[in-house]
């Protein structure tokens, strides 16, 4: 953890605009998806509730659960409910948010990985398995 904090400080001190833009963009679009899922289920909580619920709710990922399953979901749902969003809509919105940002890329990535593995094992494409010479 100490090495990670030290590395994060180095990165932030470098003031690389790409790192800062990427970090802000990730945070912004993550919150935008959560906001959109609430609107998809007919609720429109204030943006400040979404932002604070996201910030505090993501801490649920730090819970020592097997595989981290359910920590973020529970943290987001609990925090947003405490901030006054309707229970059923919050549960539906957070689960849809998690499907969009975690499960959908995981499934599509799995399909892409399987396709790549089949291509690498193709005997008609020997150039795919050639190890480049060390320089």
């Amino acid at each position: 953890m100490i090495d990670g904090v030290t590395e994060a400080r180095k990165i932030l001190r470098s003031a690389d605009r790409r790192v800062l833009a990427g970090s802000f963009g990730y945070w912004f679009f993550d919150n935008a998806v959560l906001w959109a899922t609430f609107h998809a289920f007919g609720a429109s909580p204030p943006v400040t509730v979404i932002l604070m619920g996201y910030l505090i709710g993501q801490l649920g990922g730090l819970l020592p659960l097997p595989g981290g399953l359910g920590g973020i979901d529970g943290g987001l749902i609990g925090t947003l409910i405490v901030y006054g969003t309707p229970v059923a809509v919050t549960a539906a919105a957070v689960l849809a948010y998690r499907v969009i940002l975690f499960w959908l890329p995981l499934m599509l990535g799995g399909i892409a990985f399987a396709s790549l593995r089949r291509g690498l094992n193709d005997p008609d494409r020997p150039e795919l398995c050639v190890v480049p010479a060390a320089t």
Side-chain angles (χ1 to χ4, degrees):
M1 185 167 144
I2 293 171
D3 291 340
V5 170
T6 303
E7 185 67 24
R9 284 183 182 154
K10 281 186 213 174
I11 291 170
L12 289 174
R13 284 186 185 136
S14 73
D16 186 351
R17 292 176 190 227
R18 294 173 298 176
V19 171
L20 297 174
S23 299
F24 178 76
Y26 176 83
W27 171 83
F28 176 79
F29 287 111
D30 223 22
N31 280 287
V33 171
L34 183 58
W35 175 83
T37 57
F38 267 99
H39 282 268
F41 289 102
S44 47
V47 173
T48 54
V49 168
I50 297 290
L51 296 176
M52 286 305 294
Y54 176 86
L55 179 67
I56 297 169
Q58 289 292 329
L59 294 174
L62 298 175
L63 293 173
L65 298 171
L69 296 175
I72 292 176
D73 308 333
L76 284 171
I77 291 170
T79 303
L80 290 164
I81 289 170
V82 166
Y83 277 111
T85 58
V87 175
V89 172
T90 300
V94 168
L95 292 177
Y97 157 81
R98 293 291 289 163
V99 164
I100 293 167
L101 288 174
F102 181 75
W103 293 106
L104 187 63
L106 184 67
M107 289 185 291
L108 295 176
I111 293 167
F113 179 73
S115 173
L116 177 64
R117 294 285 301 186
R118 274 195 305 277
L120 289 176
N121 291 331
D122 187 358
D124 296 332
R125 302 276 318 266
E127 75 277 4
L128 294 175
C129 296
V130 174
V131 178
T135 56

